[in-house]
Amino acid sequence: MKTVYLDNNATTQVAPEAVEAMLPFLREHYGNPSSMHSFGGRVGKAVEEARELVAELLGAEQPSEIVFTSCGTEADSTAIWSALNTETKKNHIITTRVEHPAVRSLALHLKRKGYQVTELPVHSDGLLDPRDVERAITKKTAIISIMSANNETGVLFPIAEIGAIAASYGVKFHTDAVQIVGKEPLNVQDLNVNFLALSGHKIHAPKGIGALYVKRGTRFRPFLIGGHQERGRRGGTEGVPNIVALGKAAQMALAHLDDEQTRVRGMRDRLEKGLLAAIPSSKVNGHGEKRLPNTSNISFEHVEGEAILLMMSDLGMAASSGSACTSGSLEPSHVLRAMGVPYTFAHGSIRFSLSRYNTDAEVDYVLEHMPPIIARLREISPFWKD
Ligand code: PLP
């Protein structure tokens, strides 16, 4: 059966080049990068090369600003805990209502522990007003943690503007950049961020690897306390094969950025326009332009997202309803709720997320098969009237 994978915001295919790069570090180069002997030296050098490639992708001033972690979630936690543990007299966190659970669940956990948490609202198009960030800052604010791009809608937040505000108040700023990296041009030096989190498996590296950018001069406390690895910023022997693969994936992401902005965007736009034209009572969730080039979140009124996904899956198509982490629950996603999307639309929302491995022929396939799926489900929907 033909398969069309359009769930790249959940996870991506590992680039064959990244697999090739990591294999020697699973087979012959198994030394511990901290060891003094030659087994370790070769491996330690590969880790540092990967660090340089990740630093280059982010425009970091120095490779030493990159700390490897086990995933995006760990990078987010490290940033937030580091701020709280270095600003011990402050107890206020500013974030948004639409963060990924990697930040949102931690913020709610901290709230239960007695921290003050401000969750900023978004507009109906998913956008955030930076003036709301400024208004929320108090003398007690330890950290602002706001995502760069939303995983469900692809909506972009004005990170440079928020960074300038945070810097002018001397408040630390972290951005969860897991979805934006590799899709939009990015330079941490223009953003005024202290911390930036990324995840390997969203940019064609394997699962189980992430990285945190920590701006030089930012006071820091490790999240994983242990050995001296990562210059004392993360205990635990480095996951070398994954780190090497992340370096390769970062290098490729930089090389493919134009393709993402042109060809991938073109496929996404054609898919979106085609579906909206062919399917009545369908609409895009999220701002028209201020959006990642690969993401389209479309609501089909009066049908269930889960039912759509099952029928798509029968025809080999993979997408997502809500975020990968919230699917499984029948509640509409917290992101669509924060945007005020009416229930009749929110329940039938599907996130299509493309990558450079998608093709025009795959877009044609989806455009051919989606309209009959929605029509069939509407035939059996008690709410749908033609
Ligand atoms: N932040 C965002 C915006 C995400 O989309 C994800 C993954 O879905 C994460 C954080 C978590 O990354 P990881 O799966 O590497 O922990």
Side-chain angles (χ1 to χ4, degrees):
M1 184 173 58
K2 188 180 173 68
T3 53
V4 180
Y5 185 75
L6 298 175
D7 203 10
N8 287 280
N9 287 10
T11 199
T12 58
Q13 173 192 337
V14 182
E17 294 87 344
V19 175
E20 283 306 314
M22 75 193 287
L23 282 178
F25 295 88
L26 289 166
R27 291 186 178 132
E28 54 266 34
H29 303 310
Y30 50 80
N32 187 321
S34 303
S35 299
M36 299 298 284
H37 47 64
S38 63
F39 285 82
R42 169 77 186 78
V43 173
K45 191 163 167 280
V47 170
E48 292 319 308
E49 282 165 7
R51 201 184 306 281
E52 281 169 28
L53 292 170
V54 174
E56 206 178 319
L57 174 63
L58 301 181
E61 202 183 323
Q62 296 177 359
S64 60
E65 294 174 312
I66 306 300
V67 179
F68 290 116
T69 62
S70 66
C71 58
T73 303
E74 185 194 324
D76 284 327
S77 271
T78 303
I80 293 171
W81 278 113
S82 176
L84 297 178
N85 288 332
T86 50
E87 303 276 2
T88 48
K89 294 203 167 60
K90 299 182 178 175
N91 66 348
H92 179 223
I93 301 149
I94 298 173
T95 182
T96 77
R97 289 192 194 158
V98 297
E99 297 297 309
H100 185 275
V103 168
R104 192 159 176 261
S105 299
L106 175 58
L108 295 176
H109 168 80
L110 291 166
K111 196 172 177 175
R112 285 193 293 272
K113 293 261 170 216
Y115 284 91
Q116 303 281 315
V117 176
T118 303
E119 281 190 285
L120 298 173
V122 295
H123 298 169
S124 58
D125 56 7
L127 292 181
L128 177 80
D129 187 343
R131 286 170 305 182
D132 286 344
V133 181
E134 183 159 17
R135 281 191 282 265
I137 295 174
T138 73
K139 288 197 172 60
K140 291 283 191 182
T141 308
I143 186 155
I144 300 170
S145 177
I146 292 181
M147 68 200 324
S148 300
N150 189 271
N151 45 301
E152 293 189 31
T153 60
V155 169
L156 299 168
F157 281 165
I159 294 307
E161 273 178 74
I162 298 169
I165 293 169
S168 71
Y169 285 84
V171 175
K172 289 201 177 74
F173 179 34
H174 164 58
T175 187
D176 174 343
V178 164
Q179 291 294 345
I180 202 171
V181 169
K183 296 171 189 160
E184 294 282 341
L186 199 66
N187 188 316
V188 282
Q189 295 184 59
D190 299 336
L191 298 180
N192 264 311
V193 289
N194 296 92
F195 304 104
L196 178 147
L198 66 88
S199 171
H201 73 103
K202 312 288 183 176
I203 62 163
H204 306 289
K207 292 153 194 64
I209 182 70
L212 180 66
Y213 160 81
V214 184
K215 187 184 172 69
R216 196 164 57 104
T218 302
R219 287 181 66 215
F220 186 84
R221 294 277 182 282
F223 178 61
L224 277 191
I225 297 169
H228 294 297
Q229 291 90 353
E230 299 294 287
R231 295 173 178 78
R233 291 172 300 177
R234 183 193 186 262
T237 302
E238 294 89 342
V240 176
N242 277 354
I243 289 174
V244 171
L246 176 61
K248 188 69 197 173
Q251 185 184 40
M252 294 184 74
L254 199 53
H256 284 93
L257 207 49
D258 278 349
D259 187 43
E260 198 78 30
Q261 286 287 321
T262 53
R263 195 179 62 87
V264 174
R265 186 189 295 278
M267 287 190 292
R268 189 276 312 265
D269 287 347
R270 195 162 71 81
L271 175 73
E272 189 170 286
K273 284 198 186 94
L275 291 177
L276 294 182
I279 303 174
S281 280
S282 55
K283 71 176 193 78
V284 173
N285 297 309
H287 193 271
E289 281 97 52
K290 291 179 181 165
R291 207 153 37 108
L292 292 173
N294 79 319
T295 308
S296 182
N297 186 313
I298 305 185
S299 278
F300 305 101
E301 196 184 20
H302 291 315
V303 276
E304 282 295 333
E306 282 70 19
I308 304 172
L309 287 185
L310 287 176
M311 290 185 71
M312 288 176 69
S313 181
D314 285 345
L315 292 169
M317 295 178 280
S320 180
S321 71
S323 84
C325 306
T326 53
S327 54
S329 108
L330 286 178
E331 270 292 289
S333 87
H334 67 284
V335 176
L336 299 185
R337 269 185 288 148
M339 291 162 64
V341 176
Y343 267 64
T344 55
F345 277 96
H347 274 293
S349 84
I350 298 293
R351 177 188 68 188
F352 302 92
S353 49
L354 287 73
S355 83
R356 63 177 185 262
Y357 293 113
N358 288 120
T359 63
D360 277 324
E362 291 177 338
V363 172
D364 291 339
Y365 185 83
V366 181
L367 286 174
E368 181 189 338
H369 291 286
M370 278 302 286
I373 289 179
I374 304 298
R376 239 172 294 146
L377 288 171
R378 281 178 174 165
E379 273 167 28
I380 55 169
S381 164
F383 304 108
W384 177 253
K385 290 189 183 54
D386 245 339

